[in-house]
Amino acid sequence: MAKRPYHHGDLRSALLTSAERTLREKGAAALALRELARETGVSHAAPGRHFKDKRALLDALAVVGFERLAGSLEEADDAEETLEHRLVAFARTYMDFALHNAELLDVMQTRKYDPNAPEELTTAVDRITAAFLRMIADGQDRGEVIPGDPARVSLVVVATLQGIATLVAHRSFPDATLEDLDEVVHHLVHGLAPR
């Protein structure tokens, strides 16, 4: 059997694409660097140039997911709108991501809490955190949100949206609609409003 060449163009990207497909179809337990090498058409050692082990691959997948989600959230945001409108747009974007990327969302949530997560992952998570902080700070400036540390206030928002997205992604609420999500955001916003 002839030895397969290493050269592949953009091997890292090809491996991540293949890994994401495997993740979606078979779950994280099925991810293996040797199998990804076979699927990508390179030697079994080639992925080691980009990912030293499965954990590094999962970290890279989490980064891809957080960057994709951050880009979608930033695209959905309109700083000129009310807090409620902005949160509804964020919530719908988050739910859409969760529905189409349930397995990836699981990897993202698991890897972000690892104390040994690489800086690239921390940076990707921080990009999403910053979007929520901006929104809360804007709401505070407009008198739509109670005063206080925006990071502490946004924790309520992030936990609520992340929790709902996770429940919906795992079909815990199979009949949930976007209107249900709008209602949750409405209650959330009016619970945050100053009295």
Side-chain angles (χ1 to χ4, degrees), residues 4 6 16 19 43 60 74 93 128 151 170:
R4 286 186 256 185
Y6 165 72
L16 286 171
S43 73
E74 289 164 359
T93 300
I128 291 176
H170 290 284

Side-chain angles (χ1 to χ4, degrees), residues 160-161 164 179-190:
T160 301
L161 296 184
I164 290 169
E179 290 73 26
D180 295 330
L181 192 59
D182 294 357
E183 184 180 344
V184 169
V185 170
H186 177 79
H187 291 306
L188 180 61
V189 168
H190 293 286

Side-chain angles (χ1 to χ4, degrees), residues 80-149:
E80 301 301 314
E81 289 289 349
T82 65
L83 176 68
E84 186 166 352
H85 181 89
R86 292 172 78 184
L87 277 176
V88 164
F90 263 45
R92 287 178 172 223
T93 300
Y94 205 129
M95 183 177 311
D96 183 66
F97 181 88
L99 285 170
H100 292 95
N101 301 278
E103 298 81 7
L104 180 59
L105 186 63
D106 283 345
V107 169
M108 291 162 60
Q109 299 307 333
T110 301
R111 298 310 306 145
K112 82 175 185 179
Y113 294 115
D114 185 333
N116 300 314
E119 186 176 333
E120 185 182 23
L121 180 54
T122 304
T123 300
V125 172
D126 288 348
R127 185 174 161 198
I128 291 176
T129 303
F132 280 101
L133 287 174
R134 259 192 318 274
M135 190 184 312
I136 295 302
D138 289 350
Q140 288 174 322
D141 290 345
R142 295 177 184 172
E144 297 174 295
V145 178
I146 56 174
D149 178 2

Side-chain angles (χ1 to χ4, degrees), residues 24-63:
R24 189 173 28 258
E25 294 171 0
K26 301 176 186 175
L31 286 172
L33 291 173
R34 274 184 176 261
E35 184 60 23
L36 292 175
R38 189 189 63 71
E39 290 174 10
T40 311
V42 296
S43 73
H44 67 75
R49 295 179 184 238
H50 301 283
F51 311 109
K52 68 178 184 176
D53 54 22
K54 183 175 176 177
R55 180 181 184 166
L57 174 66
L58 291 171
D59 284 341
L61 281 169
V63 169

